[in-house]
Amino acid sequence: MSEEITYREAAGAAIHDAMAADPRVFIMGEDVGHYGGTYAVTKGLLETFGPERVRDTPLSESGFTGAGIGAAMGGMRPIVEIMTVNFSLLALDQIVNNAATLRHMSGGQFNVPVVIRMATGAGRQLAAQHSHSLENWYAHVPGLRVLAPATVQDVYSMLAPALEDPDPVILFEHVMLYNRKGTLDRSAAVDLRSAAIRREGRDITLISYGGSLWKTLEAAALLAEDGIEAEVVDLRVLRPLDADTFLSSVRKTRRAVIVDEGWRTGSLAAEISAQIMEEVFWELDAPVGRVCSAEVPIPYPRHLEEAALPQVPAIIAAARAALGKQGEPA
Amino acid sequence: MTRDQLRHIFIEELMSIAPDIDLDGVPDTADLRDAVDLDSMDIMNLLIALHQRLGVDIPEADAIKLTTLGGAVAYLAERSSAT
Amino acid sequence: MPSLGADMDDGVLVEWDVKPGDRVSRGDIVAVVETQKGAIEIEIFESGTITRLLAAPGDTIAVGAPLAELDGPAATAGETEAAKAAPAPSAKAAAEPAAETLPERPAAPTIETPAVAATAREKTAPAVEAAPAAKAAPAGRVRASPAARQLAAERGIDLAGIQGTGPDGAVVRDDVAGGKAPQPAPGARPAAPTKTAETTGPARRGFDVDEMRKAIAAAMSRSKREIPHYYLSHTIDMRVASGWLDELNAQRPPEERVLIGMLLLKASALALTRFPEFNGRYENEAFAPAPAVHIGMAVAMRGGGLVAPALHDVDRLSLEELMAKARDLVARVRSGRLRSSEFTDAGITVTSLGERGVDTVFGVIYPPQVAIVGFGTVAMRALATENGVDAVPTVCATLAADHRVSDGRRGALFLREIDKLLQVPEAL
């Protein structure tokens, strides 16, 4: 049975259903309880599950993330919410040095089945300390699984398998997705391994994830009006990358543009581009293109913020350039 | 046909077959195969050219007589007057 | 610019033998190019109409770079070729009377031309007037995508001749897949070359001895470095062959006589049909047998130097035909006018020392060939015969062959086969 709901509601429903299904699941983070979550994802959970399982924490990312890791090692299935990826840097030591390594350091004696959710991305005029896209920092680290659900279905359905995963999972929710509506089938299962083809096409592969996926799909629709059939790959899982899916798409179209809200230098887009060069170089008909954020702290004013982020016209221009077409569509 | 004419024709045909040789200073008695490195194909081509130009019959056995400039002129003079 | 040997990087255009507007058939000689091996007559790979000359005499052109544009046969490529050649010049052509630039066509074309072909030709003809220097520049690399390069390599297509539609005009895969590019066509039908009155300047002819030395050095060094040679030698009794030939020649005027070298060549060619492992090319760690018996005939240059241009289909020529072809070949070596196919087609070389050589020659294989047959001088020598030791004409036949491809036993049988064939000269 499917329903039309928002990404925010789907994320909240996923937590609700997980807590209802398994008493070991609890959530903690800043303002998740009484306030209902900074992005209102956890609204109503305190009333349903009580303060033991919906815990407001002090403003101490390192402290409560560490507590979540400890609880996971002790047999619980904690969900840790960090307000934005920018703040998660305070917990980087816990995540990278502890969560990601303990199974290895303990010779397999301890697992860390924690799920750490955090908001990411720009577009809400939250300025340079709340708007960055640092998914690639985590995607760099062995021992972590990194998810970027872009659809209502994924944000709901990825949580349960993430909690079942014996290793730490980082789950990114792009701030511009919360109000987006989509179709949800609560009984549908998804995997945490594969990328998804969100639109099929033969002329060029557009690779994206998270908040940029919808801009990419919009660009693909406009390109189609101009006779260019773009295939759109939604990465879904940022670590480990499902290279097979995007490589076989590029093998088919012989051209690729990667749309990534991270900064270009050292970006996920750079990694994907490198893998394309390594694996399908001889199939290419054009250099791999990248549409990334401008290399500046994300500005506060709306027009500057918009100018700094990947936008539909830039995606279209990059796709056209890869096809040897200059300028605006006819 | 005078000997001078025959000599002129012989040299002309030889130079046409082997334009890369230099006959300057080659004595009339020198074996051209050694002096200017003519091979059997060159000699054969020369026989053919002379046969066609002068109409003289040159049996294969006589080819050896055409390997010096002097010998060739003498032979050709003899053969052309005979016909 | 075709590659006339593994070591060739470029060639200097000496003269054009065609002009824009000329119709050419596959195998026609269209230009003369100076290489390390001397002036080579370039045969065209495809039939069509010359629309543009892209190089001028004196230009150095890299192997693979285009020399001229050809309007292909209308039935297959007319439309695309016309579209390619048409764009910019068409406006200009409309402004200027076509008569000014259209070259005169031969009054009586010998080739039947379908109406479509004529249309295509007229469409593209205006492009003739432009002789752009930009496109003729041979130095730059062709901008082509990896996928295009891959496909071009698979199909043996030259990227330089393809109009690109990719980023910055790069050649992409579809351009290669759709484009018809010139390819070497073995077995090209020779046709009378189209001579024009306006060939420019005095043509440089003949061989540059220093350059030839370099080419020989490169080829022979590679041969001795890469090819594991083995050598066999066999003395052949030439009483029957010599006697038969003397008798034959005695009855013939000079132009119909046959040199003994032709018997040796023909016997080698017939033996090769039964021993194909000595005729072909060894490339990329594999042997490819030659599809026909084309024999490189080693011809020494006076004063040093050597070339071994191919005599085609030697196994199928009568001795008289072979003699005529060999005479023509030697004459053209002497005047420095060889054809491109003669440099690329041979699958084996035969070297014959002639009447004033020595007893035995041990050859060095000309890569990528896999064998060389050598004949010493035919001369009277002591030979044990049925009568005891006699003075009889003999020739020492040798084989140097590539041990990666063949072994001594087969090599021995091959030399013996030549011997056997020479004992029945009337069958040659």
Coordinates of all heavy atoms in Angstrom, one line a residue, chain C residues 86-131:
Chain C
A86 N 30.6 20.2 -48.1 CA 29.9 21.3 -48.6 C 30.0 22.6 -47.7 O 30.2 23.7 -48.3 CB 28.4 21.0 -48.7
P87 N 29.9 22.6 -46.4 CA 29.5 23.7 -45.6 C 29.9 25.1 -46.0 O 29.2 25.8 -46.7 CB 29.9 23.4 -44.2 CG 30.8 22.2 -44.3 CD 30.5 21.6 -45.6
A88 N 31.1 25.5 -45.6 CA 31.4 26.9 -45.8 C 31.6 27.3 -47.2 O 31.0 28.4 -47.6 CB 32.7 27.2 -45.0
P89 N 32.3 26.6 -48.0 CA 32.5 27.0 -49.4 C 31.3 27.2 -50.2 O 31.3 27.9 -51.2 CB 33.4 25.9 -50.0 CG 33.9 25.2 -48.8 CD 32.9 25.3 -47.8
S90 N 30.2 26.6 -49.9 CA 29.0 26.6 -50.8 C 28.5 28.0 -51.0 O 28.2 28.3 -52.1 CB 27.9 25.7 -50.2 OG 27.6 26.1 -48.9
A91 N 28.5 28.8 -50.0 CA 28.1 30.2 -50.2 C 29.0 30.9 -51.2 O 28.5 31.6 -52.1 CB 28.1 30.9 -48.8
K92 N 30.3 30.7 -51.0 CA 31.2 31.4 -51.8 C 31.1 30.9 -53.2 O 31.2 31.7 -54.2 CB 32.6 31.1 -51.3 CG 33.6 32.1 -51.7 CD 34.9 31.9 -51.0 CE 36.0 32.9 -51.5 NZ 37.3 32.5 -51.1
A93 N 30.8 29.6 -53.4 CA 30.7 29.1 -54.7 C 29.6 29.7 -55.5 O 29.6 29.9 -56.7 CB 30.6 27.6 -54.6
A94 N 28.5 30.0 -54.7 CA 27.4 30.6 -55.3 C 27.7 32.0 -55.9 O 27.2 32.4 -56.9 CB 26.2 30.7 -54.4
A95 N 28.5 32.7 -55.1 CA 28.9 34.0 -55.5 C 29.8 34.1 -56.7 O 29.8 35.0 -57.5 CB 29.5 34.8 -54.3
E96 N 30.7 33.1 -56.8 CA 31.7 33.1 -57.9 C 31.3 32.1 -58.9 O 30.8 31.0 -58.6 CB 33.0 32.7 -57.3 CG 33.6 33.8 -56.5 CD 35.0 33.4 -55.8 OE1 35.5 32.4 -56.3 OE2 35.4 34.1 -54.9
P97 N 31.5 32.4 -60.2 CA 31.1 31.4 -61.2 C 31.9 30.1 -61.0 O 33.1 30.1 -60.9 CB 31.5 32.1 -62.5 CG 32.3 33.3 -62.1 CD 32.1 33.6 -60.7
A98 N 31.1 29.0 -61.1 CA 31.8 27.8 -60.9 C 32.8 27.4 -62.0 O 33.8 26.8 -61.8 CB 30.7 26.7 -60.8
A99 N 32.5 28.0 -63.1 CA 33.4 27.7 -64.3 C 34.8 28.0 -64.0 O 35.7 27.4 -64.5 CB 32.9 28.4 -65.5
E100 N 35.0 29.0 -63.2 CA 36.4 29.5 -63.0 C 37.2 28.5 -62.2 O 38.4 28.3 -62.5 CB 36.3 30.8 -62.1 CG 37.6 31.5 -62.0 CD 37.4 32.6 -61.0 OE1 36.3 33.2 -60.9 OE2 38.4 32.9 -60.3
T101 N 36.5 27.8 -61.3 CA 37.2 26.9 -60.5 C 37.1 25.4 -60.9 O 37.9 24.6 -60.5 CB 36.8 27.1 -59.0 OG1 35.4 26.9 -59.0 CG2 37.2 28.4 -58.5
L102 N 36.0 25.1 -61.6 CA 35.8 23.7 -61.9 C 36.9 23.3 -62.9 O 37.0 23.8 -64.0 CB 34.4 23.5 -62.6 CG 33.3 23.2 -61.7 CD1 32.0 23.2 -62.5 CD2 33.5 21.9 -61.0
P103 N 37.6 22.3 -62.5 CA 38.6 21.8 -63.5 C 37.9 21.1 -64.6 O 36.9 20.5 -64.5 CB 39.4 20.8 -62.6 CG 38.5 20.4 -61.5 CD 37.5 21.5 -61.3
E104 N 38.6 21.1 -65.8 CA 38.1 20.4 -66.9 C 38.0 18.9 -66.7 O 39.0 18.4 -66.2 CB 39.0 20.7 -68.1 CG 39.0 22.2 -68.6 CD 38.1 22.3 -69.8 OE1 38.1 21.3 -70.6 OE2 37.5 23.3 -70.0
R105 N 36.9 18.3 -67.1 CA 36.9 16.9 -67.0 C 37.3 16.3 -68.3 O 37.2 16.9 -69.3 CB 35.5 16.4 -66.6 CG 35.2 16.5 -65.1 CD 33.8 16.2 -64.8 NE 33.4 15.0 -65.5 CZ 32.1 14.8 -65.8 NH1 31.2 15.7 -65.6 NH2 31.8 13.6 -66.4
P106 N 37.9 15.1 -68.2 CA 38.3 14.5 -69.5 C 37.1 14.4 -70.4 O 35.9 14.2 -70.0 CB 38.7 13.1 -69.1 CG 38.9 13.1 -67.6 CD 38.1 14.3 -67.1
A107 N 37.3 14.7 -71.7 CA 36.2 14.8 -72.7 C 35.5 13.5 -72.8 O 34.3 13.4 -72.8 CB 36.8 15.1 -74.1
A108 N 36.2 12.4 -72.8 CA 35.5 11.1 -72.9 C 35.9 10.2 -71.7 O 36.9 9.5 -71.7 CB 35.9 10.4 -74.2
P109 N 35.1 10.3 -70.7 CA 35.4 9.5 -69.5 C 35.3 8.0 -69.8 O 34.3 7.6 -70.5 CB 34.4 9.9 -68.4 CG 33.4 10.8 -69.1 CD 33.9 11.1 -70.5
T110 N 36.2 7.2 -69.4 CA 36.2 5.8 -69.7 C 35.3 5.0 -68.8 O 34.9 3.9 -69.0 CB 37.6 5.2 -69.7 OG1 38.2 5.6 -68.5 CG2 38.4 5.7 -70.9
I111 N 35.0 5.7 -67.6 CA 34.2 5.0 -66.6 C 32.8 5.4 -66.7 O 32.5 6.6 -66.8 CB 34.8 5.2 -65.2 CG1 36.2 4.8 -65.2 CG2 34.0 4.5 -64.2 CD1 37.1 5.4 -64.2
E112 N 31.9 4.5 -66.7 CA 30.5 4.8 -66.7 C 30.1 5.5 -65.4 O 30.4 4.9 -64.3 CB 29.6 3.6 -66.9 CG 29.5 3.2 -68.4 CD 28.6 2.1 -68.6 OE1 27.5 2.0 -68.0 OE2 28.9 1.2 -69.4
T113 N 29.5 6.6 -65.4 CA 29.2 7.3 -64.2 C 27.7 7.4 -64.0 O 27.0 8.0 -64.8 CB 29.7 8.8 -64.3 OG1 31.1 8.7 -64.8 CG2 29.7 9.4 -62.9
P114 N 27.2 6.8 -62.9 CA 25.7 6.9 -62.7 C 25.4 8.4 -62.5 O 26.2 9.2 -62.0 CB 25.5 6.1 -61.4 CG 26.8 5.5 -61.1 CD 27.9 6.1 -61.9
A115 N 24.1 8.7 -62.8 CA 23.7 10.1 -62.6 C 23.9 10.6 -61.2 O 24.2 11.8 -61.0 CB 22.2 10.2 -63.0
V116 N 23.6 9.8 -60.2 CA 23.8 10.2 -58.8 C 25.2 10.7 -58.6 O 25.4 11.6 -57.9 CB 23.5 9.0 -57.9 CG1 22.6 9.5 -56.8 CG2 22.9 7.8 -58.6
A117 N 26.1 10.0 -59.1 CA 27.5 10.3 -58.9 C 27.8 11.7 -59.4 O 28.5 12.5 -58.8 CB 28.4 9.3 -59.6
A118 N 27.2 12.0 -60.6 CA 27.5 13.3 -61.2 C 26.9 14.4 -60.3 O 27.6 15.4 -60.0 CB 26.8 13.4 -62.5
T119 N 25.8 14.2 -59.7 CA 25.2 15.1 -58.8 C 26.1 15.4 -57.6 O 26.4 16.5 -57.2 CB 23.8 14.6 -58.3 OG1 23.1 14.1 -59.4 CG2 23.0 15.8 -57.7
A120 N 26.5 14.3 -57.0 CA 27.4 14.4 -55.8 C 28.6 15.2 -56.2 O 29.1 16.0 -55.4 CB 27.7 13.0 -55.3
R121 N 29.2 14.9 -57.4 CA 30.4 15.5 -57.7 C 30.2 17.0 -57.9 O 31.0 17.8 -57.4 CB 30.9 14.9 -59.0 CG 32.3 15.4 -59.4 CD 32.9 14.5 -60.5 NE 32.1 14.5 -61.6 CZ 31.6 13.3 -62.1 NH1 31.8 12.2 -61.5 NH2 30.8 13.3 -63.2
E122 N 29.1 17.4 -58.5 CA 28.9 18.8 -58.7 C 28.7 19.6 -57.4 O 29.1 20.7 -57.2 CB 27.7 19.1 -59.6 CG 28.1 19.1 -61.1 CD 27.2 18.5 -62.1 OE1 26.0 18.6 -61.8 OE2 27.6 17.9 -63.0
K123 N 28.0 18.9 -56.5 CA 27.8 19.5 -55.2 C 29.1 19.8 -54.5 O 29.3 20.8 -53.8 CB 27.0 18.5 -54.3 CG 25.5 18.9 -54.3 CD 24.8 18.3 -53.1 CE 24.2 17.0 -53.4 NZ 23.6 16.3 -52.3
T124 N 30.0 18.9 -54.6 CA 31.3 19.0 -53.8 C 32.3 19.7 -54.6 O 33.3 20.2 -54.0 CB 31.8 17.6 -53.4 OG1 32.0 16.9 -54.6 CG2 30.9 16.9 -52.5
A125 N 32.2 19.8 -55.9 CA 33.3 20.4 -56.6 C 33.7 21.8 -56.2 O 34.9 22.1 -56.1 CB 32.9 20.5 -58.1
P126 N 32.8 22.7 -55.8 CA 33.2 24.0 -55.4 C 34.2 24.0 -54.2 O 35.0 25.0 -54.1 CB 31.9 24.7 -54.9 CG 30.8 24.0 -55.6 CD 31.3 22.6 -55.8
A127 N 34.2 23.0 -53.4 CA 35.2 22.9 -52.3 C 36.6 23.0 -52.8 O 37.6 23.2 -52.1 CB 34.9 21.7 -51.5
V128 N 36.8 22.7 -54.1 CA 38.1 22.5 -54.7 C 38.9 23.8 -54.6 O 40.1 23.7 -54.3 CB 37.9 22.2 -56.2 CG1 39.2 22.4 -56.9 CG2 37.5 20.7 -56.3
E129 N 38.3 24.9 -54.8 CA 39.1 26.2 -54.8 C 39.8 26.5 -53.6 O 40.9 27.0 -53.6 CB 38.2 27.3 -55.2 CG 37.1 27.6 -54.1 CD 36.4 28.9 -54.2 OE1 37.0 29.8 -54.9 OE2 35.3 29.0 -53.7
A130 N 39.3 26.1 -52.4 CA 40.0 26.4 -51.2 C 41.1 25.4 -51.0 O 40.9 24.2 -51.1 CB 39.0 26.3 -50.0
A131 N 42.3 25.8 -50.8 CA 43.4 25.0 -50.5 C 43.9 25.4 -49.1 O 45.0 26.0 -49.0 CB 44.5 25.0 -51.5

